């Protein structure tokens, strides 16, 4: 979400009372969200930056801009979080006398809908190839980023496995980038690709499995 505050410029020393400080609104909004975090669910995430905070210290800023990402495990949770966050933005405008413009992102990233039938077959195929799997609790309780593949799973059944690449480096770090491009990681990537291909073949050649996958898909969408 992009948030823009519009105030009124004035000389900060000579006529500060003539100004409407858009930077004050941005700071209040940022602090409002910091306070909100105390009441946020552990699985919710709100993080952002002030992209435009003014021009010169002696000019009361007439314009500021913030950009934030909102994350939650489900679209239902996200709608609740979004309302709370937007109230933080609006109240900052009210307190400072600024006008506020709140614009959502061009694309929302949906949560990934699970498909137990696909997961089961993939796990069976993976074990045949020597893949070790973590417990389901670790997956459900683990935190992750966003992916547009979640949007795909609302249209067709899907499977989105994570896999080990031979390194304990954390994602989105230089160390992970280096590890992902190493020769050692290719073994794990190819093994995962084989397990996915084997799963696809099972779906193609086993009509009963295909029907189970479809039924899981229908059931999970109903719950959403």
């Amino acid at each position: 979400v992009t948030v823009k505050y519009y105030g009124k410029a004035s000389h900060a020393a000579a006529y500060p009372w003539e100004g409407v400080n858009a930077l004050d609104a941005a700071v209040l909004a940022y602090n409002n969200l910091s306070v909100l975090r105390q009441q946020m669910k552990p699985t919710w995430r709100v993080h952002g930056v002030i992209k435009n905070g003014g021009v010169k210290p002696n000019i009361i800023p007439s314009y500021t801009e913030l950009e934030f990402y909102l994350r939650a495990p489900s679209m239902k949770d996200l709608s609740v979080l979004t309302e709370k966050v937007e109230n933080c933005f609006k109240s900052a405008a009210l307190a400072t006398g600024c006008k506020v413009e709140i614009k959502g992102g061009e694309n929302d990233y949906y949560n990934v809908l699970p498909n137990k039938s696909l997961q089961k077959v993939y796990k069976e195929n993976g074990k045949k190839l020597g893949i070790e799997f973590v417990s389901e609790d670790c997956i459900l309780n683990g935190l992750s980023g966003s992916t547009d593949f979640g949007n795909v799973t609302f249209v067709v059944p899907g499977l989105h496995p994570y896999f080990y690449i031979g390194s304990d480096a954390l994602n989105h770090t230089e160390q992970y980038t280096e590890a992902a491009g190493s020769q050692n990681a290719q073994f794990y990537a190819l093994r995962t690709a084989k397990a996915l291909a084997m799963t696809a073949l099972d779906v193609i050649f086993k009509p009963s499995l295909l029907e189970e996958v479809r039924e899981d898909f229908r059931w999970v969408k109903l719950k959403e």
Side-chain angles (χ1 to χ4, degrees):
V1 57
T2 299
V3 183
K4 299 178 181 180
Y5 289 106
Y6 300 93
K8 180 185 176 185
S10 184
H11 196 286
Y15 310 105
W17 54 85
E18 293 292 337
V20 178
N21 198 318
L23 180 57
D24 282 349
V27 171
L28 280 177
Y30 197 97
N31 287 331
N32 285 345
L33 292 171
S34 295
V35 173
L36 176 65
R37 286 191 177 90
Q38 188 178 3
Q39 270 69 53
M40 281 169 47
K41 292 182 179 180
T43 52
W44 291 0
R45 292 288 183 271
V46 175
H47 36 259
V49 294
I50 298 176
K51 295 181 67 176
N52 187 326
V55 181
K56 291 288 183 181
N58 64 331
I59 303 173
I60 290 176
S62 61
Y63 173 79
T64 54
E65 182 178 335
L66 304 93
E67 185 174 351
F68 273 83
Y69 288 174
L70 317 181
R71 305 180 195 259
S74 69
M75 294 303 290
K76 289 179 181 178
D77 263 13
L78 183 60
S79 64
V80 175
L81 176 60
T82 299
E83 182 180 359
K84 292 178 181 291
V85 169
E86 287 186 351
N87 285 337
C88 289
F89 294 141
K90 292 173 183 176
S91 62
L94 181 64
T96 57
C98 291
K99 294 180 180 179
V100 62
E101 178 184 311
I102 303 172
K103 184 179 179 182
E106 293 182 4
N107 300 296
D108 288 330
Y109 297 99
Y110 296 0
N111 49 295
V112 176
L113 296 183
N115 192 290
K116 290 187 176 181
S117 296
L118 277 178
Q119 290 171 359
K120 180 183 176 183
V121 176
Y122 171 75
K123 204 168 183 179
E124 290 171 352
N125 288 324
K127 286 180 177 178
K128 292 175 185 176
L129 297 171
I131 297 177
E132 296 180 11
F133 292 88
V134 298
S135 69
E136 192 168 335
D137 287 340
C138 289
I139 299 170
L140 293 174
N141 296 326
L143 299 173
S144 63
S146 305
T147 170
D148 52 6
F149 184 74
N151 302 55
V152 175
T153 63
F154 274 72
V155 181
V156 293
L159 182 68
H160 192 281
Y162 290 82
F163 65 94
Y164 178 67
I165 63 169
S167 170
D168 294 327
L170 297 176
N171 198 4
H172 294 303
T173 63
E174 291 180 7
Q175 294 80 7
Y176 189 89
T177 300
E178 184 178 348
S182 70
Q183 188 60 39
N184 189 39
Q186 305 313 305
F187 164 77
Y188 297 100
L190 287 171
R191 186 173 64 173
T192 301
K194 289 177 183 178
L196 285 168
M198 291 164 67
T199 303
L201 289 171
D202 283 334
V203 173
I204 291 170
F205 291 109
K206 297 178 181 177
S208 59
L209 172 60
L210 176 58
E211 188 51 43
E212 288 177 17
V213 170
R214 285 173 170 163
E215 185 58 33
D216 282 348
F217 176 67
R218 287 191 287 264
W219 172 247
V220 172
K221 281 203 71 174
L222 278 175
K223 292 200 302 183
E224 285 294 314

